[in-house]
Amino acid sequence: MATLLITGGAGFIGSNLVQHVLDRTADRVVVVDKLTYAGTLLNLERALSDPSLVFVQADIADERAMSAVFADHRPAAVVNLAAETHVDRSIDSPRPFIDTNIVGTFVLLEAARAFAARLGAPEGAAFRFLHVSTDEVYGTLGADGLFSEETPYAPNSPYAASKAAADHLVRAYGHTYQLPVLITNCSNNYGPFQFPEKLIPLFVTNAIDDVPVPLYGDGQNVRDWLHVVDHCRAVDLLIDQGTNGDVYNIGGGNEIANVDLTHQILDTLGKPRSLIRPVADRPGHDRRYCLDTAKLRSVGWSPQVAFAAGLRDTLEWYRANEWWWRPIKEQDSDFKSYYQSQYGRQ
Ligand code: NAD
Ligand code: DAU
């Protein structure tokens, strides 16, 4: 029985990945999560009743804690998802993005390097460090074209720059120390348990309460949406079948302008489009992302969730799970003061 170490496993993608792995394998899963504003054990409620899950509350930037995690649990593979993830927060307050995304990834790499150096064959040959990153490292596209794995990095926000820095460190550890690393760059995810600061859950939960939805700029920015379960399937596949040292784009190919997505959300919920409140644009707002995923498809992956059905199910999930999001929106003081300042930016 192999052990998979998942950092950031109490967040949106992490908790979906934990459940995906527990449902489909006999692997033991060790979650390391600091439980920041974005992480909660409520996301792991079902998983925590599984004896194959171990939860460790720790900061990936804590050297001692990370050495202890490797020594205690001896993972066969690591998936690094722990990060500060919200672009707007990185614009208002970049420091935590440097601390977690760059320094934290560095500390985790050092712990993994020390651990892997002591592994004999065959464990050493099989060890994997899969670093989950974002398409935002590539910068922005105009009306045409796609980002490929060869597109030069040109990150525009402090969030994207911190992820790009981490990607470079991961790549360097593969090149210099032969740590068996993989990097994945994924497009916008949607699905259950996404913190209600991101476009889809924010707009859905506002609309349920007949609260206006703040659409940035002209609403014509385009994102490439992927259901979180399809992201989990890709990560799961690449841990087994990805080539060490390689980079893989993961994207849904579902390009949609924010205004059109907002109309779809409001129409599906039966709410009036007059709930849209145009607000000042995000500073440095990337215009369009879309990924060429031919490389990942050649490994045997393709997205399984059609966007229309996935979005409908996701809206249904938020409608049915107010117990999950309402306390976050009402009680989290960071979230409340943060959104008051956002709505003030007009
Ligand atoms: P999230 O914000 O929902 O969750 C992040 C998790 O990391 C939380 O549980 C948080 O507590 C934990 N965390 C933060 N700092 C930590 C630290 N110092 N030590 C340990 N744990 C810490 O994020 P998400 O949307 O699930 O994203 C997960 C990963 O996927 C991130 O690396 C992100 O950059 C990447 N990604 C996300 C998307 C997306 O659309 N959400 C797309 C591409 C890539
Ligand atoms: O592309 C992958 C990235 O997707 C991930 O790396 C990030 O972690 C994740 O947060 C996401 O970044 P975005 O900035 O694209 O997601 P967000 O949901 O914040 O915004 C999506 C689009 O909607 C973007 O063009 C900004 C716009 N937007 C967002 C919010 C929160 C609005 O118009 N109004 C809003 O209130």
Side-chain angles (χ1 to χ4, degrees):
M1 190 174 63
T3 296
L4 181 63
L5 171 59
I6 300 180
T7 72
F12 162 50
I13 299 170
S15 59
N16 278 281
L17 180 65
V18 167
Q19 199 58 58
H20 181 85
V21 172
L22 291 176
D23 287 346
R24 282 160 191 79
T25 71
D27 288 355
R28 196 166 152 263
V29 176
V30 176
V31 168
V32 166
D33 200 294
K34 186 180 175 183
L35 298 182
T36 66
Y37 80 93
T40 165
L41 291 181
L42 290 177
N43 295 356
L44 290 172
E45 215 173 26
R46 186 151 84 84
L48 284 166
S49 64
D50 190 319
S52 300
L53 182 80
V54 175
F55 178 78
V56 180
Q57 182 171 2
D59 185 336
I60 59 162
D62 179 337
E63 285 175 33
R64 243 192 232 184
M66 289 311 105
S67 298
V69 164
F70 279 92
D72 293 349
H73 300 289
R74 307 191 58 77
V78 179
V79 180
N80 181 31
L81 287 143
E84 288 292 335
T85 62
H86 196 46
V87 173
D88 294 316
R89 289 185 192 247
S90 84
I91 294 167
D92 291 348
S93 177
R95 182 73 207 213
F97 291 75
I98 308 304
D99 293 342
T100 287
N101 300 3
I102 305 179
V103 180
T105 300
F106 160 70
V107 169
L108 194 67
L109 281 165
E110 279 289 275
R113 177 164 83 94
F115 171 71
R118 289 193 296 269
L119 287 174
E123 290 90 349
F127 183 73
R128 290 290 176 102
F129 186 105
L130 190 151
H131 175 69
V132 175
S133 189
T134 169
D135 57 2
E136 301 199 6
V137 297
Y138 299 124
T140 187
L141 291 166
D144 304 314
L146 302 173
F147 294 131
S148 79
E149 286 84 359
E150 278 74 47
T151 302
Y153 275 26
N156 284 321
S157 70
Y159 162 70
S162 70
K163 293 295 290 185
D167 294 6
H168 288 318
L169 280 169
V170 173
R171 183 186 169 282
Y173 272 63
H175 186 78
T176 301
Y177 305 115
Q178 285 77 53
L179 188 70
V181 298
L182 297 128
I183 298 172
T184 56
N185 295 100
C186 191
S187 67
N188 286 63
N189 284 216
Y190 69 100
F193 297 110
Q194 186 168 31
F195 196 85
E197 64 187 349
K198 308 292 199 280
L199 183 142
I200 291 180
L202 177 68
F203 284 17
V204 173
T205 56
N206 277 14
I208 287 171
D209 283 346
D210 299 307
V211 169
V213 300
L215 188 63
Y216 297 165
D218 64 3
Q220 293 300 334
N221 301 69
V222 171
R223 296 294 181 263
D224 167 3
W225 293 95
L226 179 72
H227 195 278
V228 64
V229 161
D230 280 325
H231 188 181
C232 296
R233 285 193 189 107
V235 168
D236 199 13
L237 177 72
L238 289 172
I239 293 169
D240 277 344
Q241 292 180 39
T243 302
N244 286 337
D246 269 16
V247 175
Y248 295 87
N249 285 344
I250 310 174
N254 295 302
E255 282 192 69
I256 181 162
N258 294 337
V259 66
D260 298 326
L261 175 57
T262 307
H263 288 162
Q264 235 174 293
I265 292 170
L266 294 173
D267 296 352
T268 308
L269 291 172
K271 298 290 181 177
R273 292 184 177 186
S274 57
L275 277 181
I276 296 175
R277 186 204 290 192
V279 297
D281 210 354
R282 170 185 282 175
H285 197 174
D286 286 336
R287 194 63 172 168
R288 174 173 166 261
Y289 307 136
C290 199
L291 288 169
D292 177 347
T293 57
K295 184 173 177 183
L296 178 60
R297 286 170 187 264
S298 74
V299 185
W301 175 91
S302 59
Q304 303 294 304
V305 183
F307 184 66
L311 183 65
R312 206 183 41 239
D313 290 351
T314 300
L315 303 198
E316 220 23 80
W317 188 88
Y318 283 94
R319 255 207 287 233
N321 289 282
E322 293 196 13
W323 67 270
W324 181 82
W325 58 263
R326 203 169 278 291
I328 294 175
K329 289 188 87 165
E330 283 169 3
Q331 287 160 26
D332 186 306
S333 60
D334 273 3
F335 184 77
K336 272 176 89 170
S337 60
Y338 176 73
Y339 273 96
Q340 270 151 17
S341 74
Q342 289 294 299
Y343 292 129
R345 199 177 71 198
Q346 293 188 57

